[in-house]
Amino acid sequence: MLVLSRKKNESIMIGDAIEIKIISVEGDQVRIGIEAPRNLDVYRKEIFDAIQEENRLAIQSQGDWVALKQLLESNKSSKDGQ
């Protein structure tokens, strides 16, 4: 992890397209501004983690639906064969 010190109105560049600027420092709260290309998603970490969890649950749920569909189809086939 790179750790840098910055003062108000100073910036950090990530590559040549992303600028992180310190807007203000008040007590233990730091306000930052992020300039990035519109095609990049920028999220707070807790929001990013929530999106990842929802995606994981959706994939798991999709797998559950596929398994249920296969089970129902196999039960139908068994009954049709009797």
Side-chain angles (χ1 to χ4, degrees):
M1 175 188 308
L2 174 64
V3 178
L4 300 171
S5 296
R6 299 279 77 201
K7 295 178 182 176
K8 183 179 175 181
N9 295 322
E10 292 183 334
S11 297
I12 297 167
M13 294 299 298
I14 300 175
D16 58 0
I18 301 170
E19 180 179 9
I20 300 174
K21 185 173 185 177
I22 306 305
I23 305 299
S24 68
V25 180
E26 298 174 11
D28 65 347
Q29 190 170 37
V30 178
R31 293 185 54 155
I32 61 172
I34 301 169
E35 288 189 28
R38 291 211 178 267
N39 64 328
L40 291 178
D41 294 328
V42 178
Y43 300 105
R44 295 187 328 242
K45 176 74 164 106
E46 60 274 17
I47 299 299
F48 178 80
D49 290 344
I51 291 169
Q52 295 295 343
E53 179 64 11
E54 287 295 321
N55 288 342
R56 187 188 66 75
L57 292 172
I59 290 169
Q60 179 182 355
S61 176
Q62 183 180 13
D64 292 345
W65 281 109
V66 169
L68 178 60
K69 181 180 176 186
Q70 290 172 345
L71 179 64
L72 292 173
E73 287 173 352
S74 69
N75 283 342
K76 182 181 176 191
S77 296
S78 297
K79 290 179 181 179
D80 291 343
Q82 288 180 352

